[in-house]
Amino acid sequence: MDILKQISENLRGGNDKKVLEFTKLAIEQKIPPKDILDDGLIAGMDTVGKLFKAHEIFLPDVLLAAKAMYSGMDELKPILIREGIPTIGKVVIGTIQGDLHDIGKNLVGIMLKGAGFEVIDLGNDVSPEKFVERAKKENAKVIGMSALLTTTMQGMRKVIDLLNERGLSGEIKTIIGGAPVSEEFAREIGADAYGYDAASAVDRVKKLTREK
Ligand code: B1M
């Protein structure tokens, strides 16, 4: 079985030690980090999502898979960041209130750092006030919000409304992302941009910071 398949299958099985071992091997064999991420780690997590939805695996299995995902991501992180250039602007990121999913948000943070942004990561379950107050305090150019649940995605609108209420929407731009949100939803709630994945989030944030 090829290495990337080994990574995705072991991630699906929640075997963090094997995921780490094969991620290291893939790096040693000079497989491009983006391929290790997309075709190994993310591919494995996609399968986990499908099996969970079909009730073929359960929450503890998903938690183990998330742990395995982090064991691979931690190994890849320095490589993804390595080509970073000095900071080109500050971005405050976080997962929206009520939502504990942070794998995608962390990936976006890693890629933004790699692109030279200073990233202030507020973690998960972040309230609208916390997003806005921290961005203002840090003089951040962009707030990046992630949501993985259809029940929490509406919280993104609250952040944008709060920015408007405080007269900050010209100064601080917003980008949203995560599986249940879309370009259309971004338009609907007045977000400045939508990122389909971590790489497109970086392109969009670059564009937003150039626009200022
Ligand atoms: Co949860 N979960 N989960 N879960 N979980 C989903 C999201 C779900 C789709 C699974 C399913 O049913 N198929 C479903 C949501 C259904 C819905 O809302 N329609 C679900 C559910 C229901 C739940 C619970 C409610 C389960 C329960 O308790 N009964 C619960 C909620 C807890 C809470 O948040 N309050 C829950 C819990 C968990 C775990 C804690 C066990 C774990 C999270 C661990 C962690 O994050 N530390 C977990 C996981 C791992 C998943 C799945 C399997 C994988 C998510 C993931 O990490 N994907 C997920 C199914 C799935 O998505 N396939 C599922 C990999 C990651 C790299 O992708 O996060 O999409 P993603 O990020 C992408 C893009 O979306 C984008 O870039 C990333 C890289 O490409 N992106 C951005 C993300 N944020 C961005 C921000 C940007 C730009 C792009 O700009 C700022």
Side-chain angles (χ1 to χ4, degrees):
M1 205 190 306
D2 86 7
I3 299 178
L4 300 184
K5 189 108 180 125
Q6 289 279 10
I7 294 174
S8 66
E9 299 244 313
N10 279 294
L11 192 145
R12 197 192 65 182
N15 191 334
D16 58 337
K17 291 194 178 65
K18 284 280 173 203
V19 170
L20 178 62
E21 183 188 319
F22 285 110
T23 303
K24 282 183 174 165
L25 194 63
I27 294 168
E28 265 168 43
Q29 296 203 356
K30 306 254 180 294
I31 296 178
K34 190 163 183 326
D35 293 356
I36 304 176
L37 189 63
D38 288 346
D39 303 332
L41 299 169
I42 292 181
M45 197 48 113
D46 276 350
T47 312
V48 169
K50 285 182 191 130
L51 294 172
F52 182 56
K53 195 172 179 188
H55 308 291
E56 286 178 37
I57 59 169
F58 302 97
L59 213 51
D61 307 303
V62 183
L63 275 171
L64 286 175
K67 188 165 172 241
M69 175 105 189
Y70 274 121
S71 69
M73 254 168 70
D74 286 348
E75 201 59 30
L76 273 185
K77 193 170 162 178
I79 303 172
L80 293 170
I81 295 176
R82 194 173 298 153
E83 277 140 39
I85 42 168
T87 175
I88 51 173
K90 272 190 200 172
V91 184
V92 164
I93 60 166
T95 305
I96 210 76
Q97 195 161 41
D99 201 322
L100 302 177
H101 297 87
D102 62 3
I103 296 174
K105 179 267 297 168
N106 288 346
L107 259 178
V108 172
I110 291 169
M111 302 291 265
L112 283 172
K113 278 187 196 159
F117 287 94
E118 186 177 339
V119 176
I120 297 148
D121 187 347
L122 302 181
N124 55 23
D125 191 16
V126 181
S127 69
E129 290 75 18
K130 194 166 173 192
F131 269 118
V132 172
E133 278 157 21
R134 192 66 190 274
K136 171 90 182 128
K137 183 166 168 241
E138 299 281 352
N139 205 12
K141 294 181 176 180
V142 179
I143 290 178
M145 294 170 261
S146 180
L148 263 287
L149 298 171
T150 44
T151 46
T152 56
M153 60 193 264
Q154 294 299 336
M156 294 171 153
R157 191 193 296 271
K158 293 188 189 158
V159 177
I160 293 164
D161 289 349
L162 193 59
L163 281 173
N164 286 331
E165 264 169 43
R166 299 199 181 167
L168 293 169
S169 45
E171 216 172 293
I172 303 169
K173 304 282 186 189
T174 51
I175 174 167
I176 65 166
V181 308
S182 62
E183 192 90 59
E184 196 189 346
F185 180 68
R187 263 198 305 276
E188 186 192 314
I189 65 170
D192 296 297
Y194 160 69
Y196 168 73
D197 59 13
S200 72
V202 171
D203 290 342
R204 294 299 181 94
V205 171
K206 279 186 181 162
K207 193 158 174 274
L208 287 178
T209 49
R210 274 200 303 265
E211 276 168 8
K212 292 185 65 124

